[in-house]
């Protein structure tokens, strides 16, 4: 354990005390504290040893002044799915737990003409080291350019690559949705409905492309009456369920673009006395807590949003994380299809 209060006269040790003990300048100590790359291993080790011996604790305000930034990561989002934001936030917090960084969450309105001005004002006032951009605003190239122009590091999160690996963490939504729908086809389903995500979301477009790709491979089409709009909310699943399950020839299976809408559709099925999965198979996307809190348990695509939060923070601020932190290099994190009790062969053709 480090010694405490070993500065001259028994006072709290200062950066000058560290410099004297290590035999270096105050500026060199500051560079070590701020993890500058322009130091030899020998110098860095000497300063870190002196810090340990003295029990020196760097002043965060002084460090912020040196960087001309506050030790903050800004999480900017305009996402209708609160669980997505929460899970991503947990990942970021896990990544920065042993660092000096703090997370600042900022909702924005992507539909507002003033969004970029509002974000500019926020970033200039808070002076974060970097910003994490959740979909759908991560898909806005002007927002990424704004961060760049302000000297604010940024990482964009997406369902497909949106930028180079230094600025983007993404998943493989199209591929894994196609895999899930192939499973329905393999079970014998031919009349498969689809509930889309919000217009303007890249994730919604990628998931629809994967769905259509699997149908095309099997020589199947998507009749207009089996296509339902959605917005990632439970109520949209209710509306889609009422429309799809009231058809003279309803689908034997439905892929919903997220778990919330799948839960809404399942509720309608229960209300109509339609057995899941006996008469209707349902697949969602996210693997949110909702998936295992409903009955039967929902087959779904596990979107690795928590891991994406960890990886995004590591990509954004690798030089501010605790020493010895292992930073992965993959910019694309694979989603996984999880089959549970909501899927079975069709009882009717």
């Amino acid at each position: 354990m480090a010694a405490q209060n070993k500065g001259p006269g028994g006072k709290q040790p200062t950066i000058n005390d560290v410099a004297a003990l290590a035999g270096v300048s105050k500026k060199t100590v500051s560079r070590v504290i701020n993890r500058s790359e322009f130091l030899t291993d020998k110098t860095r080790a000497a300063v870190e040893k002196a810090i340990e011996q003295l029990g020196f604790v760097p002043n965060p305000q002084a460090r912020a002044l040196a960087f001309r930034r506050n030790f903050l990561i800004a999480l900017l989002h305009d996402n209708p799915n609160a669980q997505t934001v929460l899970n991503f936030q947990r990942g970021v917090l896990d990544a920065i737990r042993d660092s000096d960084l703090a997370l600042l969450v900022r909702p924005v309105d992507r539909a507002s003409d003033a969004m970029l001005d509002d974000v500019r004002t926020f970033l200039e006032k808070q002076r974060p080291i970097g910003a994490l951009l959740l979909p759908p605003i991560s898909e806005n190239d002007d927002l990424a350019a704004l961060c760049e122009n302000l000297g604010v590091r940024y990482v964009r999160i997406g369902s497909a690559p949106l930028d180079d690996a230094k600025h983007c963490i993404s998943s493989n939504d199209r591929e894994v949705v196609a895999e899930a729908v192939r499973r329905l086809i393999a079970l014998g389903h031919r009349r498969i409905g689809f509930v889309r995500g919000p217009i303007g979301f890249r994730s919604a477009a990628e998931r629809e492309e994967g769905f259509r790709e699997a149908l095309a491979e099997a020589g199947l089409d998507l009749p207009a009456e089996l296509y339902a709009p959605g917005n990632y909310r439970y109520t949209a699943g209710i509306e889609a369920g009422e429309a799809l399950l009231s058809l003279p020839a309803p689908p034997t299976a439905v892929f919903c673009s997220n778990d919330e809408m799948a839960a809404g559709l399942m509720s309608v099925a229960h209300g109509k006395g339609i057995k899941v999965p006996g008469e209707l198979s349902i697949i969602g996307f996210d693997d949110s807590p909702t998936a295992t809190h409903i009955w039967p348990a929902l087959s779904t695509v596990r979107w690795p949003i928590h891991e994406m939060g960890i990886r995004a923070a590591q990509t954004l601020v690798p030089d501010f994380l605790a020493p010895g932190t292992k930073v992965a290099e993959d910019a694309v994190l694979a989603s996984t299809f999880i089959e549970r009790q909501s899927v079975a062969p069709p009882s009717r053709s």
Side-chain angles (χ1 to χ4, degrees):
M1 181 180 292
Q4 298 293 326
N5 296 325
K6 293 294 185 179
K11 296 181 179 179
Q12 187 70 26
T14 68
I15 193 171
N16 291 323
D17 298 327
V18 175
L21 182 59
V24 298
S25 68
K26 176 180 175 181
K27 188 173 183 179
T28 296
V29 175
S30 179
R31 286 175 175 169
V32 172
I33 293 171
N34 294 322
R35 297 174 185 160
S36 170
E37 298 178 359
F38 306 107
L39 290 166
T40 66
D41 291 341
K42 181 178 179 181
T43 298
R44 190 183 305 277
V47 173
E48 290 175 348
K49 182 178 179 180
I51 289 173
E52 177 69 17
Q53 288 179 348
L54 293 172
F56 173 69
V57 179
N59 185 306
Q61 286 78 22
R63 292 187 70 196
L65 285 173
F67 275 100
R68 297 183 181 178
R69 295 282 174 193
N70 288 316
F71 279 66
L72 298 172
I73 293 176
L75 171 55
L76 306 179
H77 75 90
D78 181 13
N79 195 300
N81 191 330
Q83 192 65 50
T84 294
V85 178
L86 179 60
N87 289 344
F88 183 83
Q89 179 179 313
R90 284 178 46 244
V92 175
L93 292 174
D94 284 347
I96 66 175
R97 176 181 294 128
D98 297 322
S99 74
D100 295 327
L101 297 165
L103 180 63
L104 184 61
V105 181
R106 175 74 171 192
V108 301
D109 181 3
R110 69 188 179 99
S112 170
D113 293 337
M115 184 193 77
L116 290 177
D117 289 336
D118 291 343
V119 172
R120 176 187 292 276
T121 299
F122 170 75
L123 294 177
E124 289 177 339
K125 181 181 296 184
Q126 300 299 332
R127 297 185 299 123
I129 290 170
L132 299 172
L133 313 178
L134 271 178
I137 62 168
S138 59
E139 299 156 15
N140 187 316
D141 292 335
D142 291 336
L143 180 56
L146 172 63
C147 293
E148 186 78 32
N149 293 336
L150 292 177
V152 176
R153 306 178 188 189
Y154 69 90
V155 170
R156 306 162 75 176
I157 316 304
S159 293
L162 303 171
D163 212 315
D164 57 56
K166 186 174 74 171
H167 290 117
C168 182
I169 299 297
S170 61
S171 58
N172 60 335
D173 289 20
R174 184 184 305 196
E175 296 175 9
V176 74
V177 168
E179 175 189 341
V181 177
R182 290 187 192 108
R183 175 58 178 158
L184 290 174
I185 295 170
L187 287 171
H189 294 279
R190 296 295 181 268
R191 189 165 172 78
I192 306 173
F194 179 74
V195 184
R196 195 189 194 279
I199 297 295
F201 279 45
R202 179 69 177 272
S203 60
E206 290 291 321
R207 294 167 196 178
E208 180 174 345
E209 285 297 319
F211 180 88
R212 291 182 179 275
E213 178 181 302
L215 290 188
E217 288 175 0
L220 302 175
D221 60 5
L222 177 62
E225 69 269 18
L226 296 187
Y227 182 95
N231 58 11
Y232 287 162
R233 300 183 189 277
Y234 181 85
T235 52
I238 294 285
E239 294 170 2
E242 292 291 350
L244 296 174
L245 302 182
S246 297
L247 292 170
T252 64
V254 178
F255 178 88
C256 297
S257 294
N258 81 337
D259 291 347
E260 286 294 307
M261 295 191 298
L265 187 140
M266 188 180 291
S267 176
V268 173
H270 290 325
K272 290 180 177 292
I274 298 172
K275 296 178 181 179
V276 179
E279 298 173 276
L280 175 68
S281 289
I282 303 174
I283 295 178
F285 194 110
D286 282 336
D287 195 28
S288 66
T290 297
T292 52
H293 291 173
I294 58 178
W295 180 84
L298 182 66
S299 297
T300 185
V301 172
R302 181 182 181 275
W303 194 32
I305 190 64
H306 176 262
E307 291 83 356
M308 292 172 79
I310 293 173
R311 185 69 186 89
Q314 292 176 339
T315 300
L316 186 71
V317 288
D319 47 334
F320 287 86
L321 302 180
T325 299
K326 293 182 179 180
V327 178
E329 295 182 358
D330 294 338
V332 179
L333 279 69
S335 300
T336 307
F337 174 53
I338 299 175
E339 186 169 341
R340 296 194 178 102
Q341 288 74 45
S342 66
V343 166
S347 60
R348 54 187 168 81
S349 59

